Amino acid sequence: MTNFHGTTIIAVRRDGKTAMAGDGQVTLGETVMKGNARKVRTIYDGKILVGFAGATADAFTLFERFEGKIKEYSGDLTRSSVELAKEWRTDRVLRRLEAMLLVADCEKTFLVSGNGDVVEPEDGVIAIGSGGNFAYAAALAYLRASDLSAREIVESSMEIASKICIYTNNDIAVEEIE
């Protein structure tokens, strides 16, 4: 999978709650263009979280397509994710988009990519973007060795990623559902 520079998105499910966080940094090459972008959103009356990484216009296009799928399939996260991945992979215009999505509700979390991937993590945590591996490792450690809430884990994990990854800042937006 492509590792997109300029963002970090992480999702964690714990104790019936799901939290997703994203940093605010937008880069163009090696230049920070914006420090307070909002890359994590709630949709479907606050029941579903979506976070995106990659080229901004591409990510927004996919976000809008996914929101349409969620409405079309009455909030069915699995079906919406699979249908978006199929359309993304087969559509001549969409397949050129360079972005990834994390989508989650309180029961499931998926990474959706243009390669046709719909990946559900085993342990309720997944991250994407240039700082994704740092945030992911931190979140796994917190899940195994603490009683922190899902929100506290994503916040702490993003803070760690922002100290390591030059493409991730500490202007962190967090959304949570239960």
Side-chain angles (χ1 to χ4, degrees):
M1 280 182 264
T2 304
N3 194 23
F4 293 103
H5 294 297
T7 201
T8 301
I9 306 292
I10 186 166
V12 173
R13 282 192 341 272
R14 183 177 236 186
D15 299 329
K17 294 182 180 178
T18 303
M20 187 178 290
D23 76 306
Q25 186 163 299
V26 176
T27 58
L28 182 60
E30 296 175 2
T31 303
V32 176
M33 300 300 290
K34 183 174 182 170
N36 64 349
R38 194 165 160 257
K39 304 170 195 171
V40 175
R41 312 272 165 92
T42 59
I43 61 171
Y44 204 65
D45 296 324
K47 296 176 186 166
I48 294 174
L49 299 170
V50 181
F52 46 84
T56 306
D58 294 356
F60 276 111
T61 298
L62 294 167
F63 171 78
E64 290 170 359
R65 291 282 181 124
F66 181 73
E67 191 170 28
K69 296 289 182 195
I70 282 293
K71 289 176 184 172
E72 181 180 350
Y73 296 110
S74 304
D76 185 329
L77 190 70
T78 304
R79 178 106 188 257
S80 299
S81 298
V82 169
E83 292 301 322
L84 176 65
K86 284 174 22 182
E87 182 179 338
W88 189 354
R89 185 173 170 91
T90 60
D91 185 275
R92 293 175 68 171
V93 174
L94 287 182
R95 72 175 158 213
R96 295 181 184 180
L97 299 182
E98 296 183 11
M100 296 176 95
L101 295 177
L102 286 187
V103 298
D105 60 18
C106 285
E107 297 174 11
K108 296 178 182 174
T109 305
F110 297 110
L111 176 151
V112 184
S113 83
N115 295 330
D117 300 313
V118 178
V119 179
E120 183 174 17
E122 293 179 5
D123 45 20
V125 60
I126 193 163
I128 58 174
S130 57
N133 287 336
F134 305 119
Y136 178 71
L140 285 177
Y142 284 125
L143 277 170
R144 293 180 183 157
S146 78
D147 292 326
L148 294 176
S149 69
R151 181 182 195 94
E152 292 168 323
I153 290 171
V154 297
E155 289 171 339
S156 297
S157 299
M158 287 295 295
E159 187 67 32
I160 289 170
S162 75
K163 291 181 186 297
I164 301 169
C165 177
I166 63 169
Y167 293 105
T168 302
N169 71 7
N170 63 357
D171 187 339
I172 299 164
V174 179
E175 293 287 346
E176 183 178 42
I177 57 175
E178 54 182 282

